[in-house]
Amino acid sequence: MANKVAILLPSTDALLRQLGDRLSMARKRRRLPAKQLAQRAGMSPMTLRSLERGGSGVTMGAYLAVMQALGVETDLNLLAKADPLGRELQDANLPAPKKFSPMSSQVAKPETMPTPSKSRLQKLKTAQGNQSAKKLPVEDIFTSSESLAKLIKAPAPASKKAR
């Protein structure tokens, strides 16, 4: 089975090679042979050789094991610590995305939902049955809670005298 190698941008690949060079220099400063460092890090000498060349197929765990064996693992705290782009995005105070609820757009709230009165429903049925009748406006079909309140407060109409 072939090893998978991550495809990196040239600038990122150069950074990885620089990290490998720095780890190789740290090993040489400590006068550690590659075989001994590989044993301490729990890997084969071939993996250490690939790591010191900045291979992108080497796992991050292997890089960290070598850093730990060399005593430079605390340098890992410096990685992505500043994060200027992330801080700019955070400071921009972008509004949080609105949560979409499919049911909220389909169901009317009870206080805003119009309720048709019986007489208006009768008008609607008559208008639908009569092909020549023009369409009634929505106000004639449905009664809102505000118009019902006005009807309750309005004085009763005077009755006509019978002849």
Side-chain angles (χ1 to χ4, degrees):
M1 193 158 77
N3 290 339
K4 293 182 180 179
V5 178
I7 299 172
L8 302 175
L9 294 172
S11 59
T12 309
D13 197 38
L15 289 173
L16 201 52
R17 279 194 309 273
Q18 291 170 8
L19 174 62
D21 288 341
R22 287 193 302 272
L23 291 176
S24 177
M25 272 310 236
R27 175 182 63 81
K28 291 173 183 173
R29 283 189 199 115
R30 286 162 180 75
R31 296 186 179 149
L32 284 171
K35 189 173 184 177
Q36 188 178 8
L37 180 60
Q39 284 177 335
R40 287 184 184 180
M43 63 183 65
S44 70
M46 291 282 286
T47 303
L48 179 64
R49 187 175 311 125
S50 179
L51 182 143
E52 288 182 346
R53 291 180 182 161
S56 62
V58 180
T59 67
M60 178 122 180
Y63 278 96
L64 294 175
V66 169
M67 290 174 70
Q68 184 176 345
L70 293 171
V72 294
E73 72 276 358
T74 56
D75 291 351
L76 194 60
N77 287 331
L78 302 175
L79 293 177
K81 190 172 186 175
D83 191 19
L85 176 62
R87 292 194 186 256
E88 282 181 36
L89 291 172
Q90 180 184 12
D91 292 343
N93 262 343
L94 299 176
K98 293 181 180 179
K99 292 185 179 178
F100 175 74
S101 173
M103 293 303 292
S104 66
S105 63
Q106 295 174 0
V107 179
K109 296 179 181 175
E111 63 271 2
T112 60
M113 190 167 58
T115 55
S117 65
K118 288 183 182 180
S119 62
R120 302 214 183 207
L121 281 174
Q122 189 62 34
K123 285 182 185 178
L124 177 63
K125 287 179 184 177
T126 305
Q128 286 176 346
N130 185 359
Q131 295 289 335
S132 62
K134 62 180 182 179
K135 291 192 175 187
L136 296 173
V138 175
E139 297 84 32
D140 288 346
I141 300 170
F142 296 103
T143 304
S144 68
S145 58
E146 293 169 358
S147 62
L148 286 175
K150 288 178 186 177
L151 286 174
I152 293 171
K153 292 180 183 178
S159 62
K160 293 184 180 181
K161 293 183 181 177
R163 292 185 181 175

